[in-house]
Amino acid sequence: MRRSLSFQTLEHQGLQALLKSSIRQVSRLALMVSALVSVTACAVTQPTVNPEKGEAFSYAWLKGHARSLSEKPFVSHEGDVPSVLSDLDWDEYQQLHFKRDQSLWQKDDTAYRATFFHLGQGFITPVHINVVEDGKSTPVDYSSKMFDYGDSHVNGKSLPEDLGFAGFRMQYGTDWERDIVAFLGASYFRAVGAEMQYGLSARGLAIDTATNKPEEFPVFTNFWFEKPKPNSDEVTIYALLDSDSVTGAYRFDIKAGEPLKMRVDVALYPRKEIERLGVAPLTSMYMIGENDRRTNYDWRPEIHDSDGLEMLTGNGEWIWRPLGNPEQLRFNAYMDNNPKGFGLMQRDRNFDHYLDDGVFYEKRPHLWIEPIGDWGKGSVQLVEIPTLDETFDNIVAYWNPAQDIIPGQELLYSYNMYWGSEAPVKSGKATVQSTYTGIGGVVGKKRDYYSKRFAIDFEGDIFQMLGQKAEVKPVIETSRGRVEITSARPQHHIGGYRAMFDLVPDDSVKPINIKVHLETNGQPISETWVYQWNPPAPDKRELHNAGHLK
């Protein structure tokens, strides 16, 4: 018997303080020349951190420093910038431009260059940058000569010489103008594949997301760039993470391409007990889609950076969980043991489904996490936060280890990140391409009771293997309610099948969990579609019967 992914569902209602701490406002720019995250994080910085004279920089040294730092009291330096910078509004901040001729490695034979973000507006925690060559670490000193201040009314010459930076971005040899990766704001970063289009973000770490306490945002306070060798298509970046509850050492081995690949090694050293630790956290936006049109006042039919959470469980089951924009914060934990992968994906890549010729949502990259080694027991957790505007990232997904997180531990994680327009791994089975929802019932007949219609389109080459007498059946499981009017019909225009059914809820408004996959001859031929539906209150279940129906 095929084992299924187990899941537990928690729903939080009316947590206004939590919403304020969990929602991250993001600049949605049409061009991918920035990845500006406008959250003011719970931030810290220390003076430039480097090995003692005569000691080489290495990842082992960085881990030792992070462990030593975790044994000392946390010191926050948030806001250690002149008021002329912190008081800038958004438009004024956009006037601060890095000069391309000041790019790091501008005159060197390397496939990568780095440019820097200026401090200001919401980015008020200085970040220190260093370059590592032959084991020697050298600081990159801030200079106002690196920037053009435009019409911001900032006099760069009056700023401190040791100001530091807000973050950085990198370019690759195929295009020195557009970015391939950017780190800016707390521990947030973004990257692109071959379509060179930013979309969702990642973070170094998430702490206490969707709990009854304010979310904590650790910060990358120091970076070290290892100078690439000539003819090398990879670059390595190290980072020191710090916050009230934890310190960490990070190594990013980055290789541009389709997809862009990052190998990430993480060593964490808790200062305090942590209620909810989020490893490899992903942050995205979902406002309107085929399955959820709660905010349907916009002229565009769909607005989202990602449309689903994909998971490959430790026992080899492929899961697809469509995203939604719920009326109240929604939290789900999908229990697993040693997961093989998870990611927030943008499967719908049809321009006609978005019609947005400014930000091109159909080009937003997938981000797939591939754990390296045994991650043990835990859960992939998904947080969906209500949003009325596309400038708020309202989707968070991460791995939460089951073990208690206490001071004195060393927590080691390694994983690959794949950013691009194609999924880096495929199941070989049919995959969900679209999910549609609406009123149930039979067309032309009066509805005597309320039901919800679900239509799920599956695509895949596996359908070409079906024999002439093969019968495709939908296998449907629900936590509550009655399923009726089920079918699985060929969809020749997509070379796939559509599973369709109605779900009649009971009188409760609590969420109903649904699972569907296709099978033939008793064998599953598709991934598993997992969904959560919140039925409306009984007095709001309109039947929408036309007047001529009797």
Side-chain angles (χ1 to χ4, degrees), residues 347-359:
R347 284 186 175 175
D348 189 341
R349 311 197 73 80
N350 188 329
F351 172 80
D352 292 342
H353 294 179
Y354 304 93
L355 301 177
D356 195 320
D357 59 351
V359 298

Side-chain angles (χ1 to χ4, degrees), residues 8 277 331-337 339 376-381 398-402:
Q8 63 184 36
L277 184 70
F331 171 83
N332 285 273
Y334 299 93
M335 315 306 291
D336 202 0
N337 184 14
K377 294 181 179 180
S379 59
V380 175
Q381 297 188 351
Y398 51 83
W399 172 255
N400 174 242

Side-chain angles (χ1 to χ4, degrees), residues 453-456 474 476 485-489 498-502:
R453 171 68 51 86
F454 294 90
I456 311 155
I476 305 168
I485 315 179
T486 64
S487 65
R489 302 197 298 252
R498 173 173 295 169
M500 194 155 59
F501 62 95
D502 286 1

Side-chain angles (χ1 to χ4, degrees), residues 398-429:
Y398 51 83
W399 172 255
N400 174 242
Q403 70 185 92
D404 293 334
I405 308 301
I406 58 176
Q409 292 176 316
E410 180 183 56
L411 304 171
L412 301 176
Y413 292 94
S414 294
Y415 51 94
N416 290 321
M417 308 180 77
Y418 298 91
W419 307 73
S421 57
E422 295 290 335
V425 289
K426 298 182 179 180
S427 66
K429 297 179 180 180

Side-chain angles (χ1 to χ4, degrees), residues 267-395:
L268 301 174
Y269 304 96
R271 279 192 173 103
K272 300 179 178 179
E273 292 187 13
I274 297 176
E275 178 180 346
R276 182 173 294 162
L277 184 70
V279 177
L282 316 178
T283 304
S284 193
M285 181 276 295
Y286 185 98
M287 182 178 169
I288 306 172
E290 294 162 342
N291 60 295
D292 190 330
R293 297 198 54 79
R294 183 176 68 86
T295 54
N296 63 355
Y297 42 77
D298 194 276
W299 65 272
R300 293 162 294 177
E302 296 191 49
I303 303 173
H304 50 76
D305 285 337
S306 306
D307 54 12
L309 169 65
E310 186 173 9
M311 293 172 277
L312 176 56
T313 69
N315 64 19
E317 184 177 14
W318 286 87
I319 307 292
W320 177 254
R321 165 58 156 80
L323 299 177
N325 181 7
E327 294 185 6
Q328 295 167 322
L329 185 144
R330 190 160 59 193
F331 171 83
N332 285 273
Y334 299 93
M335 315 306 291
D336 202 0
N337 184 14
N338 191 24
K340 296 180 180 179
F342 66 94
L344 291 176
M345 318 297 276
Q346 181 78 322
R347 284 186 175 175
D348 189 341
R349 311 197 73 80
N350 188 329
F351 172 80
D352 292 342
H353 294 179
Y354 304 93
L355 301 177
D356 195 320
D357 59 351
V359 298
F360 300 102
Y361 284 116
E362 77 281 0
K363 295 183 179 181
R364 301 299 169 109
H366 306 307
L367 178 48
W368 179 254
I369 305 297
E370 179 184 59
I372 298 173
D374 190 339
W375 281 21
K377 294 181 179 180
S379 59
V380 175
Q381 297 188 351
L382 175 66
V383 181
E384 297 166 291
I385 304 169
T387 185
L388 300 176
D389 189 277
E390 65 196 281
T391 61
F392 288 90
D393 276 8
N394 63 319
I395 304 296

Side-chain angles (χ1 to χ4, degrees), residues 200-230:
L200 77 168
S201 302
R203 282 191 268 172
L205 199 66
I207 296 179
D208 293 335
T209 303
T211 62
N212 287 314
K213 63 180 71 172
E215 183 170 3
E216 183 176 317
F217 293 90
V219 177
F220 287 139
T221 63
N222 289 258
F223 291 97
W224 292 262
F225 301 160
E226 198 169 88
K227 185 177 180 180
K229 302 294 184 183

Side-chain angles (χ1 to χ4, degrees), residues 40-176:
T40 300
C42 176
V44 325
T45 187
Q46 303 290 341
T48 301
V49 175
N50 271 313
E52 297 292 336
K53 188 175 181 180
E55 185 179 4
F57 176 87
S58 67
Y59 185 49
W61 175 87
L62 182 58
K63 288 194 293 184
H65 178 77
R67 183 193 289 272
S68 176
L69 186 62
S70 71
E71 298 169 355
K72 301 174 183 178
F74 169 74
V75 179
S76 175
H77 291 265
E78 180 182 1
D80 282 1
V81 299
S83 59
V84 68
L85 295 176
S86 59
D87 291 345
L88 291 173
D89 64 27
W90 179 253
D91 290 332
E92 291 171 332
Y93 181 71
Q94 293 302 304
Q95 293 293 313
L96 310 186
H97 297 290
F98 188 86
K99 297 177 180 178
R100 291 286 179 176
D101 60 4
Q102 297 292 314
S103 299
L104 184 66
W105 304 318
Q106 170 80 17
K107 299 179 180 179
D108 296 320
D109 183 19
T110 63
Y112 294 86
R113 292 178 185 172
T115 58
F116 306 109
F117 291 108
H118 202 288
L119 287 160
Q121 209 251 345
F123 309 105
I124 55 177
T125 302
V127 171
H128 299 292
I129 307 291
N130 307 273
V131 172
V132 177
E133 191 169 4
D134 298 326
K136 182 181 179 181
S137 177
T138 304
V140 177
D141 295 325
Y142 163 85
S143 171
S144 61
K145 295 179 180 178
M146 294 178 172
F147 294 90
D148 180 349
Y149 294 85
D151 296 328
S152 66
H153 308 297
V154 174
N155 180 4
K157 295 180 181 180
S158 67
L159 297 174
E161 294 182 358
D162 59 350
L163 183 63
F165 303 98
F168 69 91
R169 48 193 175 189
M170 280 193 165
Q171 300 79 40
Y172 185 60
T174 55
D175 186 343
W176 292 127

